[in-house]
Amino acid sequence: MPIPEKLKRFLIGNSALSFSTPIIQMTLLWLIYKEIQNPLLFIPIASARPISQVLISPLAGYVSDKFDRRKANFILGIFARLSSLTVVIFLIFHSILFIIFFFILRVIFSMFSVMIGSVAFYQIVPREMQKQAIFINRIVYESSEIAGTISWYFLLSYLGVFTAILGLIISMIGGIIFYTFQMGGGHENVSLSSGFKLFKEKNVLRLTTFGTASIQGAIWMIVSYAPALIIIYHGTSLIYDISQVIFSLSFIIGSWIMKRFKSVLKIIAYTLPIYFSIFILMIIHNPWIVVYGLGAIGIADSIYEIYWLRGMQNGAGEELLGSAIGVDEFVTAISRLSFSLLAGYLYTTVMLLVPFSGLLTMSAVTLWYIKNINILKKISVD
C-alpha cells in the first residue's frame, strides 16, 4: 500500500522536530544546572515532565478531540518555543526564578503539543497499515533523535546557549510542515469528562490502561535512573552513551518485529518474559545489565505498542481516541512518578528490593491479563 500524503508530511515534520528536541532539551538542562548548581533548586526542573503529565493529560486529550488538532498543535507549539526562548534570555541574564518558571511552562506547552501530534498520527494512518507506519515513524524518529543528540555536543562547543535557538528554528520548520495538512479533531460531542466516562464503561480500556501503567511504572525504575545505576555499578560515561544509542535502536528493532504479530495473546506472551528478564538480571551488579535492560525495554515496548493502540481504539472509537489516551497517560504518569519515587528511596536503602518490586509488579500484570483473557482475545492487531 502506498504511503498516504498526510503520513509523508507527518514523517518529514516529525524528523525536524525529533532532530531539534534533544538539541533544545539537552542545552537547556545542561546550562540550567550549570547556572543553578543546586540539586534542591533543580528538583522542579527534573520533575517538570512527570508532574505535568499527571496534571494536563486528561485536558490535553480533551483538547485533541474537541478542537482542530492542526491549529491547536501549531498554537501550543508556538507557546512552547516562546517559553524556551524566554528561558534562553533569562539564562543570559542569570535570573534563576524566571528560568525555572518558564522552563516549567515550556514543558507544559510541549506536553500538550506532543500528545495532540501523537493522536493525529494514529488517526491519519489507515488501520491496515498501522504496523508499517509505526515502524517507519520509529526509524524516522529514533534516527533523527540520535543525529540531534550527537550534533548537540559539537554545537554547544561553538554556539553555547545559542544552540537552543538553532534547535528552536529547526523545530519551527517542523511545526510549519505539520500545519500543512489536516489532523482531525473538532468533534462536538466531547467534554472534559468524556475520557473518564469511557473508562467507567469500557472494560477493554481499563484492562489496557492498568496493565500498561503497571508495566511502565516498573520499568521507569530503570529508565529514569539509568545514569545513576551505571555509576553505582562502576560504569563509565562511554557505557552510558552506548546505553542511550542502544535504547533508541531497540525501538526500531522492536517495531520491525511487531509487524509480524497477529495476535494480542502472542504479543503479551512474548513481551512479558522480556520484562521479567530485566528485573531478574538486575540482581547482577554490572553496568552492562543496564544496557541490556534499556535495549530490552525498547524492544518490548515497541512490540506492545500495537496492542495498546488497538485496545484504545476498540474502547474509544475514533471520535474520543484523544480523550481515552489522555486518561491513559494520566494513569501511566501517576504510576511512573510513584515507582520513580519508590526507586529513589530503595536505591539508597535496600537496593535489592528494586528488582523484587519489579518482579512482583510483573507477576501482578500477568495475573491481570490471565483473568481478562477473554477480553484480550477480542482485540485484533491484524
Side-chain angles (χ1 to χ4, degrees):
M1 176 181 289
I3 298 177
E5 182 61 30
K6 285 184 180 180
L7 179 56
K8 288 180 182 178
R9 295 188 190 184
F10 182 94
L11 293 172
I12 295 170
N14 199 28
S15 66
L17 291 172
S18 302
F19 179 79
S20 65
T21 296
I23 292 175
I24 300 168
Q25 182 81 352
M26 293 171 73
T27 301
L28 294 182
L29 288 174
W30 184 264
L31 295 179
I32 286 173
Y33 191 79
K34 287 186 70 175
E35 180 68 32
I36 293 175
Q37 294 191 17
N38 186 320
L40 289 177
L41 286 176
F42 198 70
I43 287 175
I45 300 295
S47 306
R49 181 176 177 179
I51 292 175
S52 295
Q53 281 182 305
V54 172
L55 295 177
I56 71 165
S57 290
L59 178 59
Y62 163 73
V63 170
S64 176
D65 287 337
K66 183 70 173 179
F67 302 100
D68 185 315
R69 291 193 189 110
R70 181 181 64 151
K71 293 179 180 178
N73 183 69
F74 187 75
I75 292 170
L76 290 164
I78 291 291
F79 282 129
R81 294 177 190 101
L82 287 175
S83 299
S84 299
L85 181 60
T86 308
V87 172
V88 171
I89 292 170
F90 283 116
L91 275 168
I92 294 172
F93 289 101
H94 310 289
S95 302
I96 293 176
L97 291 180
F98 285 110
I99 289 170
I100 294 172
F101 175 76
F102 281 101
F103 183 87
I104 293 172
L105 273 186
R106 170 194 178 270
V107 171
I108 291 172
F109 288 129
S110 295
M111 294 301 302
F112 263 105
S113 181
V114 166
M115 184 165 175
I116 291 171
S118 297
V119 176
F121 169 71
Y122 291 131
Q123 290 201 316
I124 64 176
V125 178
R127 275 203 174 209
E128 58 270 21
M129 70 170 301
Q130 278 181 339
K131 292 180 183 178
Q132 180 71 12
I134 290 172
F135 173 57
I136 295 171
N137 188 51
R138 280 292 183 190
I139 294 175
V140 171
Y141 175 86
E142 300 297 346
S143 58
S144 298
E145 191 168 70
I146 290 171
T149 302
I150 294 171
S151 301
W152 170 78
Y153 174 80
F154 301 100
L155 290 171
L156 188 71
S157 301
Y158 288 101
L159 300 177
V161 70
F162 297 104
T163 303
I165 295 178
L166 176 61
L168 290 171
I169 293 171
I170 299 171
S171 173
M172 190 66 211
I173 293 171
I176 292 171
I177 294 172
F178 269 27
Y179 195 72
T180 62
F181 62 91
Q182 293 296 327
M183 295 183 173
H187 301 296
E188 294 293 332
N189 300 320
V190 181
S191 68
L192 191 55
S193 62
S194 294
F196 292 100
K197 289 178 180 177
L198 277 174
F199 273 78
K200 185 178 180 181
E201 298 168 0
K202 302 289 185 177
N203 289 334
V204 66
L205 290 179
R206 294 196 298 273
L207 169 63
T208 304
T209 291
F210 291 142
T212 303
S214 299
I215 292 171
Q216 290 300 309
I219 63 176
W220 207 246
M221 294 191 292
I222 299 171
V223 174
S224 61
Y225 287 92
L229 282 172
I230 289 172
I231 292 171
I232 291 170
Y233 293 158
H234 307 293
T236 64
S237 59
L238 177 61
I239 295 177
Y240 176 57
D241 196 27
I242 292 171
S243 75
Q244 296 307 295
V245 174
I246 293 294
F247 193 40
S248 294
L249 291 175
S250 66
F251 280 98
I252 298 175
I253 296 169
S255 297
W256 178 76
I257 297 172
M258 173 266 293
K259 295 193 299 175
R260 283 145 177 77
F261 281 94
K262 297 182 179 180
S263 163
V264 167
L265 294 181
K266 288 184 179 179
I267 287 175
I268 291 174
Y270 189 89
T271 55
L272 283 180
I274 296 176
Y275 290 125
F276 269 106
S277 72
I278 297 165
F279 295 105
I280 292 172
L281 291 175
M282 273 192 73
I283 297 171
I284 304 171
H285 287 198
N286 187 299
W288 291 103
I289 295 300
V290 182
V291 179
Y292 166 79
L294 292 177
I297 287 169
I299 290 174
D301 274 7
S302 47
I303 295 172
Y304 188 94
E305 182 181 3
I306 189 65
Y307 152 59
W308 169 82
L309 173 59
R310 292 297 173 83
M312 291 289 106
Q313 289 177 325
N314 284 12
E318 298 302 321
E319 185 173 329
L320 296 176
L321 181 61
S323 298
I325 291 178
V327 176
D328 175 88
E329 288 287 339
F330 169 72
V331 176
T332 301
I334 291 175
S335 177
R336 283 174 171 168
L337 189 59
S338 301
F339 273 93
S340 181
L341 293 173
L342 173 65
Y345 172 74
L346 294 178
Y347 281 134
T348 57
T349 53
V350 188
M351 194 169 176
L352 189 62
L353 288 180
V354 173
F356 177 78
S357 300
L359 290 171
L360 190 64
T361 303
M362 297 313 305
S363 299
V365 171
T366 302
L367 293 174
W368 173 249
Y369 283 142
I370 291 173
K371 179 183 177 182
N372 294 280
I373 193 168
N374 289 329
I375 299 176
L376 291 172
K377 288 179 180 178
K378 297 177 182 178
I379 302 174
S380 171
V381 293
D382 279 340

